[in-house]
DNA sequence: GGCATTATTCAAGTGACTTGAATTATTGTC
DNA sequence: GACAATAATTCAAGTCACTTGAATAATGCC
């Protein structure tokens, strides 16, 4: 190695050290927050920290302390483990039935008796969000998150009542729907068995 | 009808008169602008008007003069006609199983023994494309159309072989996949019954 | 303890968009 | 053609989500 020109000490090294991990963690946190339709302010409030700190964490300019991270994932109704989960964003991913990550949602935020089965893993670089919504008998979604974008779905099994805007539909297995995400929407299992909906939507950040 | 309490004259009526058409035109314009990735400022610049006017037009608070509208669609590389075209894009659309338009595809272009069932009607103004691919026994897709974007799918019934990039997967009912549209992809029915795949992809203009 | 490092906050700044009052065109009516 | 009425357009100010930088509080290491 050239002794006259030793490796630059500052510049990148500092940034890199900060970013090596945090940049991915940050991105994951951001994506999670956006998926939940939360603003920095809102998350900051429920995780009890400042808006600006969140901004820095999400952009890899700071890495949260463990207690902080814990409060964050809690507020996001996620868990620390899978913030670090490895995923392959740009090669194809195939998931077998029954092997997909299952997420139980905060009833207050997302609804009663609903769990999501992830079709598209959380990782950077995905354009779409896709989950199978499993709705227990009598379960229903909470207040809708309204955002720009579009939603498509297909009822795999069960009987549900779906409200889009001011209209109500009763859907059975095999029925499908599309609507603009800005329309208020809400659903409920009205059958006597667990219902499943294959649901795709464009992210809030569009 | 009660003559003592005639319908309220002002309040809503004025708003409604303004909004009746423009609100939809505005929404359409906004969607188009967003699809093009333009900001209000940018569009205002190239259509030679003020940012605030655009905001009002998009929100149905004003309706553009014809010259103005012309400059707008020109800047958006669209045309006035389809700004007024009827689509079910803005209200939700529900399709019952078995009532969806079925399209048999040109074997040369799309493949042998494949027909598509439209989940999202083929009208402009939709962000997503979505179809159920029905593949006859032994049927297979033709050369893939490669474009930027993302694809998600879910095997509803049957056994298929799916190639993504340089990998091959054998999928059964309930399995799902996601991949970047730029990767070459191809599929084939390898079972002994008709196979169906619920398939969503982002348009090229994403 | 003292010192460097880094997490965290506060306050100010930016960019995209919205709103309201003021101005300019358009339109209809006599 | 003139005169209101009405609505299109602009300017300036306001809001909202987010980012940045300097200041402060923790933390860990010697």
């Amino acid at each position: 190695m050239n002794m006259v020109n030793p490796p630059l000490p500052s510049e990148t090294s500092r940034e890199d050290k900060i970013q090596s991990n945090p940049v991915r963690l940050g991105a994951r946190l951001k994506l999670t927050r956006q998926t939940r339709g939360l603003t920095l302010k809102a998350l900051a409030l429920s995780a009890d920290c400042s808006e600006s700190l969140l901004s820095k964490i999400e952009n890899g300019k700071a890495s949260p302390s463990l207690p902080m991270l814990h409060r964050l994932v809690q507020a996001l109704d996620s868990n620390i483990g899978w913030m670090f989960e490895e995923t392959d964003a740009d090669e194809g991913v195939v998931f077998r039935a029954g092997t997909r990550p299952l997420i139980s949602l905060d009833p207050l935020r997302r609804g009663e008796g609903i769990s999501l089965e992830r079709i598209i893993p959380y990782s950077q670089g995905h354009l779409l969000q896709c989950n199978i919504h499993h709705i227990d008998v009598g379960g229903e979604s909470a207040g809708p998150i309204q955002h720009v974008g579009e939603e498509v779905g297909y009822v795999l099994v069960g009987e549900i009542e779906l409200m889009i805007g001011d209209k109500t539909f009763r859907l059975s297995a095999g029925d499908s729907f599309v609507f603009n995400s800005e329309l208020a929407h809400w659903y409920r299992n009205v059958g006597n068995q667990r219902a499943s909906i294959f649901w795709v939507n464009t992210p809030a950040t569009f």
Side-chain angles (χ1 to χ4, degrees), chain A:
Chain A
M1 187 185 257
N2 191 341
M3 299 309 272
V4 183
N5 286 328
L8 297 170
S10 58
E11 287 297 310
T12 53
S13 75
R14 189 194 131 91
E15 267 294 310
D16 284 357
K17 212 181 298 174
I18 295 177
Q19 297 208 342
S20 57
N21 258 349
V23 85
R24 299 189 59 187
L25 170 64
R28 196 70 70 91
L29 283 165
K30 182 174 196 171
L31 194 61
T32 311
R33 172 176 65 80
Q34 290 175 329
T35 309
R36 304 278 190 274
L38 295 171
T39 149
L40 279 181
K41 197 190 216 163
L43 179 56
L45 192 70
S46 70
D48 191 37
C49 74
S50 80
E51 202 181 332
S52 86
L53 176 57
L54 277 188
S55 168
K56 285 175 189 171
I57 291 174
E58 288 188 351
N59 298 310
K61 302 268 173 74
S63 106
S65 63
L66 277 179
M68 184 73 255
L69 179 58
H70 186 250
R71 271 176 289 149
L72 281 174
V73 294
Q74 197 141 357
L76 288 168
D77 190 32
S78 181
N79 60 77
I80 295 186
W82 93 281
M83 283 289 150
F84 296 95
E85 207 163 275
E86 290 290 330
T87 59
D88 26 23
D90 29 33
E91 342 159 22
V93 192
V94 167
F95 273 130
R96 302 298 168 182
T99 69
R100 290 175 285 240
L102 205 67
I103 300 116
S104 284
L105 288 171
D106 176 5
L108 284 171
R109 173 165 305 135
R110 208 53 190 260
E112 203 70 46
I114 293 177
S115 62
L116 298 191
E117 189 178 334
R118 229 136 254 115
I119 298 294
I120 301 187
Y122 265 164
S123 61
Q124 272 190 74
H126 278 295
L127 258 36
L128 296 172
Q129 293 165 16
C130 178
N131 299 284
I132 296 178
H133 294 222
H134 295 285
I135 315 140
D136 291 340
V137 176
E140 62 180 278
S141 64
I145 301 163
Q146 293 184 31
H147 54 92
V148 226
E150 192 164 48
E151 323 230 345
V152 202
Y154 179 89
V155 179
L156 295 171
V157 40
E159 291 275 327
I160 66 155
E161 197 170 68
L162 174 67
M163 263 140 284
I164 306 172
D166 53 0
K167 281 178 287 189
T168 304
F169 304 93
R170 190 192 173 95
L171 305 182
S172 310
D175 294 343
S176 64
F177 56 87
V178 206
F179 60 89
N180 185 321
S181 307
E182 287 176 63
L183 293 169
H185 48 281
W186 183 80
Y187 60 76
R188 166 170 73 179
N189 185 346
V190 292
N192 51 12
Q193 63 172 322
R194 201 148 187 253
S196 301
I197 314 176
F198 188 86
W199 198 299
V200 183
N201 47 262
T202 58
T205 59
F206 189 60

